Amino acid sequence: RSCRPAARVEGTMSSTLLEQARQALEYSEAYEKAIGEQLSSKPKTTKQQVWQQHHIANLMTCIKKQSGTALEVVKDGDGSFKEELETMKGANAFGSFYESLKQTREYYMRFPNIKPQQALSLEADMECTTVFSGEEVFGKYLDLHALHERSCNMKQFGPTEYLDYLAAFSDFSKVPSGAKMGAAYAEYLKDLLDYLESFFQRAQPLVDFASISSERSTAFQEAWEKGTVPGWSAGSAGTEAASTSNTAAKRPVDMSSMHSAQDLEALGLQRLKEGLEALGMKCGGSLSDRAERLFSVKGVAQKDIPKNLLAKAAKKRKRDAAETGGDNGRAVAEREFGVGFMVEQLLDVVEATKRHVEKRQTQLVEERAAELEEEEFGTMADQIAGEDGTGGLDDEEDEDEEDDGPLYNPLNLPLGWDGKPIPFWLYKLHGLGVEYKCEICGNQSYWGRRAFDRHFQEWRHAHGMRCLGIPNTKHFHDITLIEDAINLYEKLKDTIRIEQFDAAQEEEFEDSEGHVLNRKTYEDLARQGLL
């Protein structure tokens, strides 16, 4: 039977439940047919592949909606559908039919100007509103530049190159436990995890993200209970020890047998101090002050102790715990675990991003723009084939172009503009096998004369010269040793001192008799009245 949707009259007249169920099933069949047409076409570019997946995902959402409508009618919770079917049976079937027909005619006679409207619009239902940044290239690569800049300004990470950041942005084992409890660190983890989740859903819309999120939560719960979360090896006990520092080693006072502050005074100054420190409270004052302070929190949970009774370090820990979600850093650990879990799901994309960043370092602006245009619109041959209505390249050629497997590069040659190793003769011609070391840059190695000459104007060399207190001018080009740079700077200062104009010795004056004298001699004679 045809899957073409029927026309629906726009107005206040409601259709029967049977018609609603029939229409929902008809639309579901139309959506299924559209999905089959989408799958039958082979996309040529990355943009077309991602857009196809989003179209199919939107159609599947529409099928679920229509199926839910039909299922709700069939379940017949109030029995109205059964009553409607009963009117279509028996001797009164034709009478019910003609009565319904009469009502329909009267309705359209009352509203003759109502126009039929097509209820189903596949283009509108398939419309994709997903947005990718230019760096993401329609879900092919990650765009972590903003998060990389934030990490460079955080004390937990410090400044790094973008390529180095991509290699270790999911490894938090080097971050000290005490530095993980800050609000800025927790906010950074939240934004990083949100981006990875958003990218995954935008790049792979057909994957059930809810099941992946549930699997992640289950895996974290098991790892947390076993104490095997990376960077939190001691589990909740280890986190508590890290957050409470030395207070965990103090013995709290058993308050169950204490009925007044006088009972606590019998314990002495030192024992009361130890009990107050165990709760993170102020421990100064006299014996009665300490006893009253400790007795005032009897029956109060440690997290509910008033801030005016807490020591400064305990206040900071309490504030950080509130900002990071509390529970002794469990929220921070869960976000770190979530980032690592999402990176495992996007491992191919992360590796492709590393290769892409390394490749872009050898490209010109025009080459990058041409590559982005090819990703969006396809190659020139694909565009011509699409205009002519003919097929594109052969299947074997398409497979060769789409093969993103590891390259055979035993000599570890640099990658060219096409993502493949450059020829060996070109490698030798540019001297890329020659290593240049710069002591000012921290014994950094530069391969090839071009990279070596360029590094004198880069931030690493400029930072090294600034640390030595030497201006990074052209006089110090090709100077890589710290001792040579210091000696040259001292020599330049002596030369500048010699060439500098000395007004006292070089400025000339003439007396009334025509004798030419320097400024110092002229002023001395003038003061003595000998001129």
Side-chain angles (χ1 to χ4, degrees):
R1 112 187 187 85
S2 174
C3 290
R4 184 176 60 188
R8 177 172 61 89
V9 178
E10 186 182 32
T12 58
M13 183 177 181
S14 60
S15 59
T16 62
L17 293 176
L18 184 61
E19 172 61 20
Q20 293 178 14
R22 184 206 63 80
Q23 189 180 61
L25 295 175
E26 182 180 2
Y27 288 171
S28 298
E29 292 180 5
Y31 290 135
E32 290 177 2
K33 182 179 179 181
I35 291 177
E37 293 175 355
Q38 287 287 326
L39 294 175
S40 63
S41 62
K42 184 177 181 181
K44 297 292 184 181
T45 64
T46 304
K47 178 181 179 181
Q48 294 174 359
Q49 292 175 1
V50 176
W51 259 225
Q52 182 190 61
Q53 295 183 33
H54 278 280
H55 292 161
I56 294 175
N58 293 340
L59 291 172
M60 291 177 63
T61 302
C62 293
I63 291 176
K64 292 180 180 178
K65 181 180 178 181
Q66 296 297 335
S67 301
T69 302
L71 183 61
E72 184 179 355
V73 172
V74 173
K75 283 184 176 180
D76 194 19
D78 56 356
S80 57
F81 183 58
K82 183 178 180 180
E83 294 179 2
E84 183 177 310
L85 293 179
E86 290 295 334
T87 59
M88 300 179 183
K89 300 178 183 180
N92 198 30
F94 286 99
S96 299
F97 170 76
Y98 286 115
E99 181 65 24
S100 177
L101 179 61
K102 180 181 177 181
Q103 293 177 2
T104 303
R105 286 177 176 175
E106 290 177 354
Y107 178 81
Y108 283 106
M109 288 177 65
R110 196 180 309 118
F111 304 102
N113 296 326
I114 292 179
K115 297 180 180 179
Q117 179 182 1
Q118 199 68 258
L120 184 64
S121 176
L122 290 176
E123 293 184 358
D125 293 333
M126 290 192 304
E127 183 180 3
C128 179
T129 58
T130 304
V131 178
F132 290 97
S133 67
E135 193 71 21
E136 290 174 338
V137 192
F138 304 102
K140 195 172 183 180
Y141 310 112
L142 294 174
D143 183 9
L144 297 173
H145 286 87
L147 292 164
H148 168 241
E149 292 180 2
R150 285 178 58 181
S151 69
C152 290
N153 296 318
M154 296 176 63
K155 61 181 181 180
Q156 290 87 350
F157 304 102
T160 57
E161 295 288 346
Y162 184 56
L163 193 59
D164 298 333
Y165 174 77
L166 288 174
F169 74 94
S170 61
D171 182 14
F172 305 102
S173 59
K174 297 181 181 179
V175 180
S177 300
K180 293 183 178 182
M181 303 308 295
Y185 180 74
E187 187 67 20
Y188 165 78
L189 288 178
K190 179 180 179 299
D191 294 342
L192 177 58
L193 181 58
D194 290 345
Y195 171 77
L196 294 176
E197 292 178 348
S198 171
F199 179 86
F200 185 89
Q201 296 178 73
R202 288 182 289 127
Q204 303 181 31
L206 295 179
V207 179
D208 186 8
F209 181 75
S211 62
I212 292 180
S213 180
S214 176
E215 180 184 352
R216 184 184 71 195
S217 301
T218 304
F220 171 76
Q221 183 65 27
E222 295 177 356
W224 182 260
E225 292 176 355
K226 296 179 181 178
T228 58
V229 178
W232 306 78
S233 56
S236 57
T239 308
E240 183 178 359
S243 63
T244 58
S245 184
N246 295 330
T247 61
K250 305 297 182 180
R251 291 184 299 115
V253 176
D254 184 11
M255 303 291 292
S256 60
S257 59
M258 302 296 175
H259 303 289
S260 64
Q262 287 73 20
D263 296 341
L264 290 172
E265 292 180 6
L267 299 177
L269 280 171
Q270 191 61 30
R271 184 68 184 93
L272 289 177
K273 178 180 179 180
E274 185 178 0
L276 289 169
E277 289 179 348
L279 297 176
M281 299 174 62
K282 297 177 181 178
C283 56
S286 62
L287 179 63
S288 59
D289 293 338
R290 296 182 185 183
E292 291 177 0
R293 191 181 306 128
L294 184 57
F295 187 76
S296 65
V297 296
K298 180 180 178 181
V300 179
Q302 185 174 358
K303 62 179 181 179
D304 298 329
I305 296 177
K307 293 183 179 180
N308 61 337
L309 299 179
L310 293 175
K312 291 184 178 181
K315 288 182 181 179
K316 184 177 183 302
R317 286 195 300 271
K318 186 173 182 180
R319 183 174 63 252
D320 290 343
E323 292 174 348
T324 55
D327 198 11
N328 294 328
R330 179 190 173 96
V332 176
E334 187 172 4
R335 289 171 185 172
E336 290 184 355
F337 186 86
V339 170
F341 187 88
M342 293 305 302
V343 169
E344 291 180 1
Q345 303 295 323
L346 297 168
L347 188 59
D348 294 340
V349 180
V350 175
E351 295 298 328
T353 305
K354 295 178 186 177
R355 296 194 298 267
H356 177 65
V357 172
E358 185 177 358
K359 174 182 173 182
R360 283 172 63 92
Q361 295 176 352
T362 64
Q363 288 180 315
L364 300 175
V365 176
E366 294 80 3
E367 294 173 344
R368 297 177 183 177
E371 181 182 2
L372 182 60
E373 182 179 357
E374 181 178 336
E375 292 287 351
E376 184 172 0
F377 302 106
T379 61
M380 185 63 68
D382 292 338
Q383 297 180 30
I384 295 175
E387 293 175 358
D388 296 343
T390 58
L393 301 174
D394 296 338
D395 293 340
E396 295 181 358
E397 295 178 354
D398 289 341
E399 291 177 0
D400 292 338
E401 290 182 358
E402 297 173 0
D403 184 16
D404 292 333
L407 298 173
Y408 179 70
N409 190 11
L411 298 179
N412 197 22
L413 300 176
L415 301 181
W417 63 271
D418 56 352
K420 298 179 181 179
I422 64 174
F424 186 71
W425 63 267
L426 186 62
Y427 175 81
K428 299 291 290 184
L429 177 65
H430 289 286
L432 299 180
V434 181
E435 181 183 12
Y436 297 87
K437 281 187 173 292
C438 181
E439 186 181 7
I440 298 176
C441 298
N443 291 324
Q444 184 75 12
S445 297
Y446 299 94
W447 297 91
R449 183 68 191 183
R450 181 181 179 185
F452 176 70
D453 291 337
R454 189 169 57 240
H455 101 277
F456 287 102
Q457 303 301 325
E458 294 178 352
W459 68 270
R460 192 188 301 274
H461 191 84
H463 176 70
M465 296 290 286
R466 190 159 51 249
C467 292
L468 295 175
I470 301 175
N472 189 23
T473 61
K474 63 180 181 180
H475 302 90
F476 298 92
H477 192 79
D478 280 343
I479 302 298
T480 59
L481 298 178
I482 295 177
E483 184 180 358
D484 293 347
I486 295 175
N487 293 337
L488 178 59
Y489 184 55
E490 295 296 333
K491 183 178 180 181
L492 288 175
K493 289 197 296 185
D494 294 339
T495 304
I496 292 173
R497 191 182 304 110
I498 294 174
E499 295 177 354
Q500 190 174 7
F501 178 76
D502 187 1
Q505 298 295 332
E506 299 182 12
E507 192 173 0
E508 296 180 345
F509 288 79
E510 185 178 356
D511 60 5
S512 59
E513 297 182 357
H515 299 124
V516 178
L517 307 171
N518 60 36
R519 180 172 183 171
K520 184 176 183 303
T521 304
Y522 181 85
E523 291 178 349
D524 290 343
L525 294 175
R527 280 194 295 269
Q528 297 176 19
L530 300 177
L531 292 179

